[in-house]
Amino acid sequence: MFQKLTHTDDSGKANMVDVSDKSETLRIGRAKGQILLGKHTWDLIKSNQIKKGDVLTVARIAGIQASKQTSLLIPLCHSIALSKADLQIELVENSDAGSDLERFAAEITATVSCIGRTGVEMEAMVAVSVSACTIYDIKAVNREMKVTDIRIVGKSGGRSAAEKAMLEHEIFEGVNKKSSDIRNVLVTGGAGFIASHFIRRIVTLYPDYNIFNFDKLDYCSSLKNLEDISNSPNYYFIKGELTSTDFVNYILTEKRIDTILHFAAQTHVGTNLISSVYV
């Protein structure tokens, strides 16, 4: 049985998907890609010797800017108010590659999120694509560069009730490490004034701990104090309330939470948190 194309109507004409009946949930899209550089170009970029300036910084900003313009570039894409677009570029050596061009590359990773009714995978793909093209714009140095392997590597949102407000574990590499030395800490009410300062310290002092900050962001909380750790690889923020036993169980079991710190001033967590803790 063949699935129906989502962007066509019953007569086969192009059609924008109606998402008005979908729930607004936290949605995340992640994409990766590479641009093959060759050693000479790779060395010039690494030492920041390109005449046009800091190539990687410009490419990173270009990718972030492009993610916000996706609906203007891709027909029938929804216009989405993004919550965040993050783009990282790493110069890598592909040791098993055959040629000089393939061995020395820049790997681009884009992670885009929003609170909305449709996913942001295309925004992540566009971010990677434009970032790679921006690097290629130094073509006077090497016209043999090749953009390759752009693909979606993860998405979350719009699934079961328990997953709607939770990030799928494959989105974040390293969250489910099996080492007994890793601790997964859930902090509720972590965007409050005191809690946010505490989280900043443990994220910085304990890089081997995975810190999950859960807060509903009401009138007495803010993410301002947490901006400097928002990109830390061991820090994850989840917006919402712990009001469902199923949801709490999902966090505790899927994310292997072994430590819970409750900072919320109110008792909106209720008995769900207590009844879901497994010792």
Side-chain angles (χ1 to χ4, degrees), residues 264-279:
Q266 296 84 2
T267 57
H268 62 274
V269 173
T271 61
N272 290 326
L273 189 61
I274 305 301
S275 62
S276 302
V277 175
Y278 301 105
V279 180

Side-chain angles (χ1 to χ4, degrees), residues 149-206:
D149 203 21
I150 297 176
R151 76 279 187 196
I152 297 297
V153 297
K155 60 171 289 185
S156 71
R159 298 178 184 270
S160 68
E163 292 176 295
K164 282 182 178 178
M166 188 61 197
L167 313 180
E168 287 182 348
H169 56 273
E170 67 263 27
I171 292 294
F172 298 106
E173 298 169 353
V175 172
N176 288 325
K177 295 177 182 176
K178 298 184 183 300
S179 169
S180 59
D181 295 331
I182 297 298
R183 305 210 63 167
N184 296 315
V185 182
L186 175 67
V187 182
T188 65
F193 180 76
I194 296 176
S196 60
H197 286 283
F198 173 79
I199 287 178
R200 286 172 61 190
R201 288 186 61 82
I202 60 175
V203 167
T204 303
L205 295 176
Y206 301 95

Side-chain angles (χ1 to χ4, degrees), residues 15-264:
N15 180 53
M16 189 173 187
V17 176
D18 185 359
V19 297
S20 57
D21 62 340
K22 294 186 177 182
S23 301
E24 286 194 345
T25 64
L26 172 62
R27 297 173 186 266
I28 295 178
R30 194 182 194 194
K32 283 181 177 286
Q34 283 196 349
I35 176 168
L36 308 181
L37 303 169
K39 189 175 189 318
H40 177 62
T41 308
W42 192 89
D43 287 338
L44 288 176
I45 293 176
K46 186 175 182 179
S47 59
N48 198 19
Q49 297 298 309
I50 300 293
K51 289 183 178 180
K52 287 192 174 184
D54 188 347
V55 174
L56 298 187
T57 296
V58 175
R60 180 172 178 268
I61 295 173
I64 293 172
Q65 288 288 88
S67 69
K68 297 185 288 184
Q69 304 298 321
T70 300
S71 64
L72 299 179
L73 300 172
I74 308 297
L76 307 181
C77 268
H78 294 85
S79 179
I80 299 174
L82 301 182
S83 302
K84 184 171 183 178
D86 178 71
L87 193 139
Q88 300 297 325
I89 306 174
E90 181 182 4
L91 294 175
V92 297
E93 288 189 54
N94 301 317
S95 57
D96 57 345
S99 67
D100 175 87
L101 179 68
E102 294 172 335
R103 181 175 180 181
F104 296 91
E107 184 172 81
I108 305 167
T109 304
T111 305
V112 182
S113 63
C114 78
I115 303 295
R117 290 186 168 91
T118 188
V120 286
E121 302 95 289
M122 290 307 303
E123 283 70 15
M125 287 265 282
V126 167
V128 171
S129 301
V130 172
S131 180
C133 288
T134 302
I135 295 175
Y136 186 86
D137 193 40
I138 61 169
K139 54 189 177 293
V141 176
N142 178 11
R143 295 183 181 274
E144 301 301 317
M145 289 183 291
K146 182 186 294 185
V147 176
T148 184
D149 203 21
I150 297 176
R151 76 279 187 196
I152 297 297
V153 297
K155 60 171 289 185
S156 71
R159 298 178 184 270
S160 68
E163 292 176 295
K164 282 182 178 178
M166 188 61 197
L167 313 180
E168 287 182 348
H169 56 273
E170 67 263 27
I171 292 294
F172 298 106
E173 298 169 353
V175 172
N176 288 325
K177 295 177 182 176
K178 298 184 183 300
S179 169
S180 59
D181 295 331
I182 297 298
R183 305 210 63 167
N184 296 315
V185 182
L186 175 67
V187 182
T188 65
F193 180 76
I194 296 176
S196 60
H197 286 283
F198 173 79
I199 287 178
R200 286 172 61 190
R201 288 186 61 82
I202 60 175
V203 167
T204 303
L205 295 176
Y206 301 95
D208 287 337
Y209 284 30
N210 294 311
I211 310 301
F212 296 87
N213 180 7
F214 194 100
D215 198 290
K216 64 179 181 179
L217 292 182
D218 58 9
Y219 63 92
C220 62
S221 57
S222 170
L223 293 178
K224 185 175 182 180
N225 290 334
L226 300 165
E227 290 178 352
D228 58 340
I229 62 167
S230 60
N231 290 323
S232 298
N234 63 325
Y235 172 74
Y236 314 101
F237 176 73
I238 310 162
K239 181 180 179 181
E241 293 189 63
L242 292 173
T243 57
S244 165
T245 299
D246 290 337
F247 178 71
V248 175
N249 282 336
Y250 179 80
I251 296 176
L252 296 180
T253 57
E254 291 297 316
K255 302 310 169 186
R256 300 177 182 176
I257 300 297
D258 51 49
T259 305
I260 301 172
L261 302 173
H262 177 47
F263 276 90

